Amino acid sequence: MTTPVERAFKELEVIRVRPLSPQGPDSVESQRRTLEETAALVAPPADAVFEPVPALPGLLTTVPESADDRVVLQLHGGGYHIGSTAVQRDLTARIARAAKAKVYGIDYPLAPEHPYPAAVLAARKAYEWLLGQGYAPERIVLTGDSAGGGLALATLVGLRDLGLPLPGAAVVMSPWVDLTNSGESVEGRADRDPVISVPGIRQWAASYLAGADPRDPLASPLYADLTGLPPLLIQVGTEEVLFDDSTRLYVKAAREGVDATLEVAEGMPHVWQIFADFLPEAAAAIENLGRHVLTHVPEGAVTEGVVPYGATPQGAVPQGARPAFA
């Protein structure tokens, strides 16, 4: 009999990040398909409702506990090459319940077909779309896992630099924030990480960047000025190749005045939160995520003017319209 942690490690090996090949089981199309098939084996909570949002494009997740005015914008992981909102339905439903929020996920364009900065631009547009729907920025929380965690931080930096109002809080789970892959843990924990192979992550970084500087702040937000970003929760497991991405991010954020919290989960693999249906440590991490959200976007602070999805408030950006930035 395997333990819950052993089961999590075994399931992660199925979707291990490996170097891409032009065809065969390691092609990007095959790895996308494997992830979709694996995720389909996990049934989301029965009371969760999933609604396509063509204007993003993406998926809106709600549960009975979801408040109308508290919104999470979730950016999925997958090394900028694989993954989707459909893959994360169980995770977004659990985040919705823990945070008592609506969760919007976006299917941002993936590499290699759409290299950097396509994902960053899509995430910015999604955030401005939420503002256009009437959601107050302080009632929005930006979250992301793995590459989605790096994308969340890059989005925050870009929004700040554009002078747009920032969300009330942010959470990143096992974030990939250094595309130079220079942290000591990249080599030091390579034999402990069941999901990321070092040759694989190096190749995926080069494929996503497509010649761009890996130290570009919007590609690797570890090299960005983080001043002024909202309260940030960082979650990482001890068995991760990307462990040092999180620890260095925490130190840098704290030094630059960000209200940052680092949670280190002993014995946990990369993005262990996806195993909340059977792994207590994953369920606990999502509960902590929810507490972070509710601390910084508290209940009882309903903002006037919030409208249901599908309606357009006066003066807002209509659904499908191009946001102000490109």
Side-chain angles (χ1 to χ4, degrees):
M1 179 180 295
T2 60
T3 67
V5 173
E6 289 171 338
R7 178 181 169 188
F9 271 65
K10 182 177 180 180
E11 293 191 16
L12 280 170
E13 289 174 353
V14 175
I15 53 174
R16 183 173 176 82
V17 170
R18 302 178 299 275
L20 299 170
S21 63
Q23 55 188 341
D26 288 337
S27 69
V28 68
E29 294 83 4
S30 179
Q31 293 198 39
R32 288 172 183 168
R33 185 168 56 252
T34 297
L35 179 59
E36 297 280 345
E37 292 171 350
T38 302
L41 300 176
V42 180
D47 61 351
V49 176
F50 303 96
E51 178 184 358
V53 185
L56 287 176
L59 196 66
L60 168 62
T61 303
T62 57
V63 295
E65 296 89 341
S66 297
D68 284 336
D69 74 318
R70 185 185 298 108
V71 177
V72 171
L73 178 59
Q74 160 65 10
L75 305 175
H76 70 77
Y80 295 109
H81 286 72
I82 64 176
S84 67
T85 56
V87 163
Q88 293 206 331
R89 291 193 307 158
D90 183 67
L91 178 62
T92 56
R94 293 176 184 276
I95 291 174
R97 197 180 315 280
K100 298 182 180 180
K102 297 178 177 180
V103 178
Y104 285 89
I106 68 167
D107 287 307
Y108 54 84
L110 299 174
E113 299 93 332
H114 305 282
Y116 173 80
V120 179
L121 296 177
R124 289 182 188 174
K125 291 178 181 180
Y127 181 79
E128 188 170 83
W129 182 86
L130 290 176
L131 297 179
Q133 293 302 300
Y135 295 110
E138 66 270 16
R139 306 296 292 172
I140 302 173
V141 177
L142 199 53
T143 66
D145 62 284
S146 192
L151 180 56
L153 287 163
T155 302
L156 291 172
V157 170
L159 292 170
R160 181 204 60 198
D161 290 350
L162 286 170
L164 292 173
L166 295 180
V171 181
V172 291
M173 299 164 269
S174 303
W176 189 20
V177 295
D178 179 13
L179 270 61
T180 72
N181 296 306
S182 59
E184 291 183 6
S185 60
V186 171
E187 298 291 346
R189 306 191 186 206
D191 61 347
R192 295 163 57 176
D193 192 322
V195 68
I196 297 178
S197 74
V198 173
I201 199 172
R202 293 194 189 284
Q203 187 200 39
W204 287 34
S207 174
Y208 171 64
L209 291 166
D213 185 351
R215 288 180 172 79
D216 185 319
L218 298 186
S220 297
L222 184 65
Y223 301 99
D225 175 6
L226 305 179
T227 304
L229 297 195
L232 174 66
L233 172 62
I234 306 163
Q235 295 180 332
V236 68
T238 58
E239 306 311 291
E240 301 196 41
V241 157
L242 298 180
F243 182 80
D244 285 356
D245 279 40
S246 288
T247 56
R248 291 181 296 161
L249 173 65
Y250 168 70
V251 171
K252 179 177 175 61
R255 285 176 175 170
E256 295 178 355
V258 179
D259 178 3
T261 301
L262 175 67
E263 292 182 354
V264 178
E266 186 65 35
M268 292 297 105
H270 188 65
V271 196
W272 73 99
Q273 295 88 344
I274 62 176
F275 298 114
D277 61 325
F278 66 84
L279 190 62
E281 292 88 345
I286 294 176
E287 287 302 314
N288 288 348
L289 181 157
R291 278 192 286 271
H292 180 77
V293 172
L294 293 171
T295 295
H296 298 288
V297 187
E299 297 185 77
V302 177
T303 303
E304 294 183 2
V306 172
V307 297
Y309 167 66
T312 303
Q314 185 176 4
V317 178
Q319 293 183 35
R322 183 179 179 84
F325 52 83

